[in-house]
mmCIF file of all heavy atoms in Angstrom:
data_model
loop_
_atom_site.group_PDB
_atom_site.id
_atom_site.type_symbol
_atom_site.label_atom_id
_atom_site.label_comp_id
_atom_site.label_asym_id
_atom_site.label_seq_id
_atom_site.Cartn_x
_atom_site.Cartn_y
_atom_site.Cartn_z
ATOM 1 N N SER D 55 9.490 -32.108 -1.204
ATOM 2 C CA SER D 55 10.512 -31.178 -0.764
ATOM 3 C C SER D 55 9.927 -29.764 -0.884
ATOM 4 O O SER D 55 10.120 -28.932 0.002
ATOM 5 C CB SER D 55 11.769 -31.316 -1.589
ATOM 6 O OG SER D 55 12.742 -30.330 -1.289
ATOM 7 N N TYR D 56 9.288 -29.500 -1.995
ATOM 8 C CA TYR D 56 8.693 -28.136 -2.228
ATOM 9 C C TYR D 56 7.657 -27.816 -1.181
ATOM 10 O O TYR D 56 7.676 -26.774 -0.544
ATOM 11 C CB TYR D 56 8.064 -28.141 -3.662
ATOM 12 C CG TYR D 56 7.232 -26.948 -3.984
ATOM 13 C CD1 TYR D 56 7.856 -25.669 -4.116
ATOM 14 C CD2 TYR D 56 5.853 -27.084 -4.155
ATOM 15 C CE1 TYR D 56 7.041 -24.575 -4.480
ATOM 16 C CE2 TYR D 56 5.097 -25.978 -4.506
ATOM 17 C CZ TYR D 56 5.690 -24.725 -4.648
ATOM 18 O OH TYR D 56 4.897 -23.669 -4.964
ATOM 19 N N ALA D 57 6.766 -28.843 -0.947
ATOM 20 C CA ALA D 57 5.755 -28.633 0.086
ATOM 21 C C ALA D 57 6.293 -28.449 1.422
ATOM 22 O O ALA D 57 5.823 -27.581 2.221
ATOM 23 C CB ALA D 57 4.789 -29.865 0.059
ATOM 24 N N ARG D 58 7.373 -29.183 1.816
ATOM 25 C CA ARG D 58 7.995 -29.058 3.106
ATOM 26 C C ARG D 58 8.681 -27.706 3.301
ATOM 27 O O ARG D 58 8.515 -27.089 4.321
ATOM 28 C CB ARG D 58 8.984 -30.211 3.279
ATOM 29 C CG ARG D 58 9.561 -30.268 4.662
ATOM 30 C CD ARG D 58 10.508 -31.543 4.858
ATOM 31 N NE ARG D 58 11.367 -31.815 3.744
ATOM 32 C CZ ARG D 58 11.215 -32.766 2.856
ATOM 33 N NH1 ARG D 58 10.138 -33.540 2.913
ATOM 34 N NH2 ARG D 58 12.081 -32.966 1.874
ATOM 35 N N ARG D 59 9.390 -27.217 2.243
ATOM 36 C CA ARG D 59 10.048 -25.911 2.334
ATOM 37 C C ARG D 59 9.069 -24.812 2.535
ATOM 38 O O ARG D 59 9.239 -23.917 3.391
ATOM 39 C CB ARG D 59 10.850 -25.639 1.068
ATOM 40 C CG ARG D 59 12.178 -26.416 0.994
ATOM 41 C CD ARG D 59 13.076 -25.894 -0.149
ATOM 42 N NE ARG D 59 12.381 -25.486 -1.384
ATOM 43 C CZ ARG D 59 12.101 -26.274 -2.362
ATOM 44 N NH1 ARG D 59 12.447 -27.585 -2.337
ATOM 45 N NH2 ARG D 59 11.484 -25.804 -3.476
ATOM 46 N N LEU D 60 7.982 -24.840 1.785
ATOM 47 C CA LEU D 60 6.985 -23.741 1.951
ATOM 48 C C LEU D 60 6.201 -23.885 3.232
ATOM 49 O O LEU D 60 5.862 -22.867 3.859
ATOM 50 C CB LEU D 60 6.064 -23.662 0.736
ATOM 51 C CG LEU D 60 6.667 -22.696 -0.273
ATOM 52 C CD1 LEU D 60 7.697 -23.387 -1.191
ATOM 53 C CD2 LEU D 60 5.682 -21.966 -1.033
ATOM 54 N N LYS D 61 5.987 -25.073 3.725
ATOM 55 C CA LYS D 61 5.303 -25.268 5.021
ATOM 56 C C LYS D 61 6.253 -24.711 6.156
ATOM 57 O O LYS D 61 5.740 -24.101 7.092
ATOM 58 C CB LYS D 61 4.968 -26.783 5.273
ATOM 59 C CG LYS D 61 4.421 -27.068 6.635
ATOM 60 C CD LYS D 61 3.076 -26.427 6.881
ATOM 61 C CE LYS D 61 2.486 -26.967 8.169
ATOM 62 N NZ LYS D 61 1.680 -26.022 8.884
ATOM 63 N N GLU D 62 7.534 -24.945 5.999
ATOM 64 C CA GLU D 62 8.458 -24.401 6.986
ATOM 65 C C GLU D 62 8.443 -22.861 6.981
ATOM 66 O O GLU D 62 8.462 -22.248 8.016
ATOM 67 C CB GLU D 62 9.887 -24.913 6.735
ATOM 68 C CG GLU D 62 10.095 -26.341 7.102
ATOM 69 C CD GLU D 62 11.440 -26.911 6.620
ATOM 70 O OE1 GLU D 62 12.239 -26.187 6.039
ATOM 71 O OE2 GLU D 62 11.679 -28.079 6.922
ATOM 72 N N GLU D 63 8.428 -22.324 5.808
ATOM 73 C CA GLU D 63 8.330 -20.871 5.657
ATOM 74 C C GLU D 63 6.978 -20.364 6.293
ATOM 75 O O GLU D 63 6.974 -19.386 7.036
ATOM 76 C CB GLU D 63 8.369 -20.439 4.179
ATOM 77 C CG GLU D 63 8.308 -18.934 3.990
ATOM 78 C CD GLU D 63 8.370 -18.589 2.524
ATOM 79 O OE1 GLU D 63 7.332 -18.787 1.838
ATOM 80 O OE2 GLU D 63 9.429 -18.076 2.068
ATOM 81 N N TYR D 64 5.893 -21.055 5.972
ATOM 82 C CA TYR D 64 4.589 -20.699 6.558
ATOM 83 C C TYR D 64 4.673 -20.703 8.073
ATOM 84 O O TYR D 64 4.227 -19.773 8.724
ATOM 85 C CB TYR D 64 3.514 -21.650 6.052
ATOM 86 C CG TYR D 64 2.177 -21.515 6.774
ATOM 87 C CD1 TYR D 64 1.193 -20.704 6.245
ATOM 88 C CD2 TYR D 64 1.906 -22.223 7.932
ATOM 89 C CE1 TYR D 64 -0.020 -20.564 6.919
ATOM 90 C CE2 TYR D 64 0.704 -22.064 8.593
ATOM 91 C CZ TYR D 64 -0.255 -21.248 8.068
ATOM 92 O OH TYR D 64 -1.475 -21.083 8.714
ATOM 93 N N ASP D 65 5.229 -21.797 8.643
ATOM 94 C CA ASP D 65 5.319 -21.924 10.095
ATOM 95 C C ASP D 65 6.189 -20.824 10.706
ATOM 96 O O ASP D 65 5.871 -20.299 11.767
ATOM 97 C CB ASP D 65 5.878 -23.318 10.504
ATOM 98 C CG ASP D 65 4.913 -24.444 10.251
ATOM 99 O OD1 ASP D 65 3.675 -24.200 10.102
ATOM 100 O OD2 ASP D 65 5.388 -25.564 10.141
ATOM 101 N N GLU D 66 7.247 -20.459 9.991
ATOM 102 C CA GLU D 66 8.106 -19.372 10.498
ATOM 103 C C GLU D 66 7.386 -18.094 10.502
ATOM 104 O O GLU D 66 7.415 -17.349 11.499
ATOM 105 C CB GLU D 66 9.366 -19.267 9.621
ATOM 106 C CG GLU D 66 10.306 -18.194 10.029
ATOM 107 C CD GLU D 66 11.508 -18.084 9.083
ATOM 108 O OE1 GLU D 66 11.760 -18.975 8.299
ATOM 109 O OE2 GLU D 66 12.147 -17.017 9.152
ATOM 110 N N TRP D 67 6.678 -17.751 9.438
ATOM 111 C CA TRP D 67 5.907 -16.498 9.337
ATOM 112 C C TRP D 67 4.803 -16.479 10.406
ATOM 113 O O TRP D 67 4.508 -15.469 11.003
ATOM 114 C CB TRP D 67 5.364 -16.350 7.953
ATOM 115 C CG TRP D 67 6.395 -15.982 6.916
ATOM 116 C CD1 TRP D 67 7.697 -16.295 6.882
ATOM 117 C CD2 TRP D 67 6.156 -15.213 5.735
ATOM 118 N NE1 TRP D 67 8.290 -15.794 5.761
ATOM 119 C CE2 TRP D 67 7.331 -15.100 5.015
ATOM 120 C CE3 TRP D 67 5.017 -14.628 5.175
ATOM 121 C CZ2 TRP D 67 7.478 -14.450 3.812
ATOM 122 C CZ3 TRP D 67 5.132 -13.957 3.944
ATOM 123 C CH2 TRP D 67 6.389 -13.846 3.313
ATOM 124 N N LYS D 68 4.144 -17.624 10.573
ATOM 125 C CA LYS D 68 3.126 -17.697 11.579
ATOM 126 C C LYS D 68 3.662 -17.432 13.012
ATOM 127 O O LYS D 68 3.079 -16.724 13.777
ATOM 128 C CB LYS D 68 2.421 -19.064 11.550
ATOM 129 C CG LYS D 68 1.230 -19.171 12.473
ATOM 130 C CD LYS D 68 0.509 -20.495 12.339
ATOM 131 C CE LYS D 68 -0.711 -20.460 13.248
ATOM 132 N NZ LYS D 68 -1.122 -21.754 13.597
ATOM 133 N N HIS D 69 4.804 -18.034 13.251
ATOM 134 C CA HIS D 69 5.457 -17.881 14.571
ATOM 135 C C HIS D 69 5.856 -16.385 14.779
ATOM 136 O O HIS D 69 5.584 -15.832 15.876
ATOM 137 C CB HIS D 69 6.710 -18.749 14.706
ATOM 138 C CG HIS D 69 7.497 -18.506 15.874
ATOM 139 N ND1 HIS D 69 7.086 -18.989 17.105
ATOM 140 C CD2 HIS D 69 8.642 -17.866 16.138
ATOM 141 C CE1 HIS D 69 7.942 -18.651 18.070
ATOM 142 N NE2 HIS D 69 8.909 -17.921 17.474
ATOM 143 N N LEU D 70 6.362 -15.783 13.740
ATOM 144 C CA LEU D 70 6.671 -14.339 13.842
ATOM 145 C C LEU D 70 5.384 -13.478 14.063
ATOM 146 O O LEU D 70 5.425 -12.541 14.854
ATOM 147 C CB LEU D 70 7.362 -13.865 12.596
ATOM 148 C CG LEU D 70 8.811 -14.270 12.439
ATOM 149 C CD1 LEU D 70 9.391 -13.955 11.054
ATOM 150 C CD2 LEU D 70 9.680 -13.625 13.529
ATOM 151 N N ASP D 71 4.315 -13.860 13.375
ATOM 152 C CA ASP D 71 3.038 -13.121 13.588
ATOM 153 C C ASP D 71 2.591 -13.241 15.067
ATOM 154 O O ASP D 71 2.028 -12.291 15.617
ATOM 155 C CB ASP D 71 1.960 -13.632 12.711
ATOM 156 C CG ASP D 71 1.936 -13.028 11.319
ATOM 157 O OD1 ASP D 71 2.611 -11.998 11.129
ATOM 158 O OD2 ASP D 71 1.247 -13.582 10.418
ATOM 159 N N GLU D 72 2.826 -14.389 15.650
ATOM 160 C CA GLU D 72 2.391 -14.591 17.061
ATOM 161 C C GLU D 72 3.302 -13.967 18.076
ATOM 162 O O GLU D 72 2.897 -13.441 19.090
ATOM 163 C CB GLU D 72 2.253 -16.127 17.281
ATOM 164 C CG GLU D 72 1.151 -16.787 16.527
ATOM 165 C CD GLU D 72 1.224 -18.303 16.521
ATOM 166 O OE1 GLU D 72 2.254 -18.856 17.015
ATOM 167 O OE2 GLU D 72 0.291 -18.922 15.992
ATOM 168 N N THR D 73 4.644 -14.016 17.762
ATOM 169 C CA THR D 73 5.596 -13.559 18.743
ATOM 170 C C THR D 73 6.099 -12.098 18.531
ATOM 171 O O THR D 73 6.492 -11.434 19.495
ATOM 172 C CB THR D 73 6.838 -14.457 18.835
ATOM 173 O OG1 THR D 73 7.491 -14.454 17.470
ATOM 174 C CG2 THR D 73 6.430 -15.887 19.242
ATOM 175 N N ASP D 74 6.092 -11.656 17.334
ATOM 176 C CA ASP D 74 6.609 -10.355 16.955
ATOM 177 C C ASP D 74 5.718 -9.694 15.859
ATOM 178 O O ASP D 74 6.163 -9.559 14.757
ATOM 179 C CB ASP D 74 8.056 -10.468 16.516
ATOM 180 C CG ASP D 74 8.704 -9.119 16.251
ATOM 181 O OD1 ASP D 74 8.227 -8.090 16.846
ATOM 182 O OD2 ASP D 74 9.669 -9.039 15.497
ATOM 183 N N PRO D 75 4.494 -9.382 16.226
ATOM 184 C CA PRO D 75 3.563 -8.817 15.230
ATOM 185 C C PRO D 75 4.138 -7.541 14.599
ATOM 186 O O PRO D 75 4.789 -6.753 15.277
ATOM 187 C CB PRO D 75 2.287 -8.534 16.015
ATOM 188 C CG PRO D 75 2.466 -9.083 17.376
ATOM 189 C CD PRO D 75 3.874 -9.440 17.564
ATOM 190 N N GLU D 76 3.929 -7.412 13.347
ATOM 191 C CA GLU D 76 4.354 -6.196 12.645
ATOM 192 C C GLU D 76 3.566 -5.021 13.091
ATOM 193 O O GLU D 76 2.334 -5.179 13.347
ATOM 194 C CB GLU D 76 4.182 -6.383 11.112
ATOM 195 C CG GLU D 76 5.050 -7.395 10.497
ATOM 196 C CD GLU D 76 4.869 -7.575 9.026
ATOM 197 O OE1 GLU D 76 3.706 -7.762 8.585
ATOM 198 O OE2 GLU D 76 5.883 -7.563 8.305
ATOM 199 N N PRO D 77 4.199 -3.909 13.195
ATOM 200 C CA PRO D 77 3.376 -2.676 13.538
ATOM 201 C C PRO D 77 2.419 -2.413 12.363
ATOM 202 O O PRO D 77 2.668 -2.707 11.246
ATOM 203 C CB PRO D 77 4.424 -1.574 13.617
ATOM 204 C CG PRO D 77 5.625 -2.058 12.933
ATOM 205 C CD PRO D 77 5.642 -3.575 12.936
ATOM 206 N N TRP D 78 1.257 -1.907 12.765
ATOM 207 C CA TRP D 78 0.214 -1.646 11.746
ATOM 208 C C TRP D 78 -0.400 -0.275 12.025
ATOM 209 O O TRP D 78 -1.470 -0.126 12.559
ATOM 210 C CB TRP D 78 -0.912 -2.715 11.876
ATOM 211 C CG TRP D 78 -1.825 -2.652 10.722
ATOM 212 C CD1 TRP D 78 -2.963 -1.907 10.604
ATOM 213 C CD2 TRP D 78 -1.789 -3.372 9.482
ATOM 214 N NE1 TRP D 78 -3.653 -2.111 9.403
ATOM 215 C CE2 TRP D 78 -2.870 -3.050 8.706
ATOM 216 C CE3 TRP D 78 -0.853 -4.310 8.944
ATOM 217 C CZ2 TRP D 78 -3.100 -3.569 7.438
ATOM 218 C CZ3 TRP D 78 -1.082 -4.861 7.706
ATOM 219 C CH2 TRP D 78 -2.212 -4.461 6.949
#
Side-chain angles (χ1 to χ4, degrees):
S55 175
Y56 172 69
R58 187 174 42 259
R59 283 191 324 270
L60 269 86
K61 174 64 170 149
E62 287 171 1
E63 181 182 75
Y64 171 92
D65 289 341
E66 179 184 344
W67 287 29
K68 184 176 184 204
H69 176 73
L70 286 171
D71 275 345
E72 292 167 352
T73 60
D74 186 22
E76 293 179 310
W78 191 272

